[in-house]
Amino acid sequence: MQTKFLLPNRPFLSSLAAAAVLGGPLAATADAAPAPAKYQTHAQAAAVLKQAGISWSSSGGCSNRENSRCTSFTKINKATIAGLVAFKKASRCAVRVTGGTERGHASGTYSHYNGYKADIALNGCVNKYITSRFKHTGKRSDGATLYKSPAGNVYAREGNHWDITYYNSRA
């Protein structure tokens, strides 16, 4: 038997509905998506990239997440790493990661720091694969040209690299 709650002359049939209206703790967690699986250390993610033949570099020659001159994979989403591996396999291009979860990128839910983004270096093979296989979807507010993969991931052509947002683990 369900409990009825009365709120401003409206019957509700469950505590979940009441919590949603009242903004209680159930409202915050009822529809929340689970947190994405992450690699906790740079070394864990780097090992997966190395195994796939993907290289990385940083202007500071380091992997400290708190240093914007480094390229770090600490706390990167497993789907982001899997997406890079899938891109490498599908494109058969040389892929070099130049940005990960280090500070110094734009903030937001789907940000580098939150593990959803990676930057890869430009090269003829990568550029041709993205621009010929993915749908051109316009420009970002900063002027970067946008392409969307069939999997729904977004590739933005910034000055000297591709800024990729991985919403899932496919290229």
Side-chain angles (χ1 to χ4, degrees):
M1 184 168 114
Q2 293 182 326
T3 307
K4 289 188 177 184
F5 292 89
L6 295 176
L7 297 173
N9 297 322
R10 299 182 191 271
F12 289 90
L13 297 176
S14 72
S15 58
L16 181 60
V21 170
L22 296 172
L26 289 175
T29 59
D31 294 326
K38 296 187 178 286
Y39 287 103
Q40 293 303 309
T41 69
H42 174 84
Q44 291 168 329
V48 175
L49 293 175
K50 183 176 181 179
Q51 176 84 24
I54 297 172
S55 63
W56 62 93
S57 62
S58 74
S59 59
C62 50
S63 62
N64 180 344
R65 184 172 197 224
E66 301 305 321
N67 184 339
S68 64
R69 291 181 40 92
C70 298
T71 296
S72 178
F73 305 130
T74 301
K75 297 191 179 176
I76 197 164
N77 295 347
K78 289 185 176 184
T80 300
I81 296 297
L84 289 166
V85 171
F87 178 81
K88 163 85 170 137
K89 286 180 181 175
S91 69
R92 299 182 183 172
C93 296
V95 175
R96 181 171 51 93
V97 180
T98 61
T101 60
E102 65 281 348
R103 291 205 182 272
H105 299 280
S107 62
T109 301
Y110 297 103
S111 66
H112 280 273
Y113 197 77
N114 287 338
Y116 288 91
K117 288 187 166 213
D119 294 338
I120 63 172
L122 303 177
N123 70 46
C125 182
V126 165
N127 301 348
K128 183 177 179 181
Y129 187 85
I130 293 169
T131 59
S132 67
R133 304 278 179 114
F134 299 162
K135 182 180 180 182
H136 179 261
T137 59
K139 291 192 181 271
R140 205 166 56 188
S141 62
D142 63 0
T145 304
L146 299 172
Y147 294 86
K148 192 172 197 174
S149 75
N153 298 315
V154 177
Y155 294 69
R157 171 82 185 255
E158 294 185 350
N160 63 352
H161 64 271
W162 287 97
D163 175 77
I164 309 166
T165 307
Y166 285 103
Y167 298 103
N168 62 64
S169 60
R170 297 182 312 274

